[in-house]
Amino acid sequence: MSSRLFALSFDAREPERLARFWAALLDLEGADEPYDGVLLRSGNDAGYRLGFRSSPARKTGQNRLHFDLTSSSPDDQRETVARALDLGGRHCDVGQGPDASHVVLADPEGNEFCVIEPGNAFLAGCGRIGALACDGSQAVGYFWSEALGWPLVWDQDEETAVQSPAGGTKITWGGPPLMPDPGRDLHLDLAPDGGREAEVERLLALGAKRLDTAHGGDGAVLLADPDGNVFRVLAGPRD
């Protein structure tokens, strides 16, 4: 049994509006699939979608998860920043300092993301969404490697990263300390290859925790990874 990464999902006050921002920024098209929210096709080799689901949660701090967008040249980096600002994004200070070569922005609902400088070797070949950069422990990197069946491509100084065997976006964890729960954030939506309940049991055995609220929205089972980040297990083909 295993799961594939179906979507990287944003908590959103206005899912349609936020989806329009990201679709325009990254030239993405909508996905017509069953989902409790709005879906965009990522066009990434890792095979996931971008999801936008309505959430009443209030953002109280910096996201634990954010995108690192790649650039092919200095002009491309500047053009991405300018496009994001024109679409309703804004500059964001997360302590990066004036000499940082990457640019930190926030989307219209305050979700932080970075536009990385060209020539970043670690993200080479990963696509426009080079990484989902996460605040998290080494243990949670190991958990997600087993959960998704994605091999570790970095494991050093308590920092970890995984990548799909097909390539594409990397998921990275920066090691301790762990930032507080920001209220609204990004989440992983998993689609089991088989039955959902059997996959939930596998994930629990790997270290996930079942939440008291057993189901969310479209009947997905809500779990938390070893760092307490909520994720969803959608219905499988045998459900």
Side-chain angles (χ1 to χ4, degrees):
M1 293 293 295
S2 63
S3 286
R4 59 187 172 88
L5 179 58
F6 178 80
L8 300 175
S9 178
F10 289 79
D11 290 335
R13 294 191 308 272
E14 299 180 74
E16 293 82 4
R17 177 171 176 257
L18 193 59
R20 286 195 296 271
F21 170 87
W22 285 98
L25 180 62
L26 300 176
D27 295 320
L28 303 181
E29 297 181 352
D32 184 17
E33 299 173 78
Y35 189 72
D36 183 28
V38 182
L39 280 178
L40 301 175
R41 298 188 184 280
S42 71
N44 190 277
D45 289 343
Y48 61 87
R49 299 140 189 82
L50 298 187
F52 304 84
R53 301 179 64 251
S54 180
S55 171
R58 183 171 63 91
K59 183 173 166 61
T60 59
Q62 182 180 331
N63 286 17
R64 284 184 176 179
L65 291 74
H66 71 268
F67 287 141
D68 284 343
L69 307 183
T70 60
S71 302
S72 59
S73 68
D75 283 346
D76 182 42
Q77 185 184 29
R78 286 190 289 269
E79 288 168 7
T80 300
V81 171
R83 181 188 291 194
L85 297 175
D86 287 344
L87 291 168
R90 59 178 174 82
H91 285 281
C92 187
D93 184 358
V94 295
Q96 67 270 27
D99 297 327
S101 54
H102 63 283
V103 180
V104 183
L105 302 174
D107 70 19
E109 294 204 6
N111 299 295
E112 300 87 0
F113 64 98
C114 296
V115 185
I116 304 299
E117 69 282 358
N120 185 295
F122 183 69
L123 300 181
C126 292
R128 193 63 164 173
I129 304 176
L132 176 67
C134 309
D135 184 62
S137 65
Q138 184 181 51
V140 87
Y142 293 168
F143 167 83
W144 281 109
S145 178
E146 291 289 337
L148 295 173
W150 289 15
L152 286 162
V153 294
W154 183 266
D155 185 7
Q156 186 173 314
D157 299 328
E158 298 191 82
E159 297 179 352
T160 52
V162 300
Q163 187 178 32
S164 167
T169 299
K170 293 176 177 175
I171 306 179
T172 70
W173 293 270
L178 187 65
M179 291 190 299
D181 184 345
R184 279 192 289 119
D185 210 335
L186 281 75
H187 305 279
L188 278 64
D189 287 344
L190 306 187
D193 293 328
R196 178 174 55 193
E197 287 308 315
E199 179 60 5
V200 166
E201 291 303 316
R202 185 184 76 91
L203 294 167
L204 293 174
L206 290 175
K209 295 181 180 178
R210 189 187 292 267
L211 300 182
D212 290 339
T213 303
H215 295 84
D218 51 2
V221 175
L222 299 182
L223 301 178
D225 69 21
D227 280 351
N229 300 299
V230 177
F231 67 96
R232 304 194 311 151
V233 183
L234 309 177
R238 297 181 201 154
D239 295 314

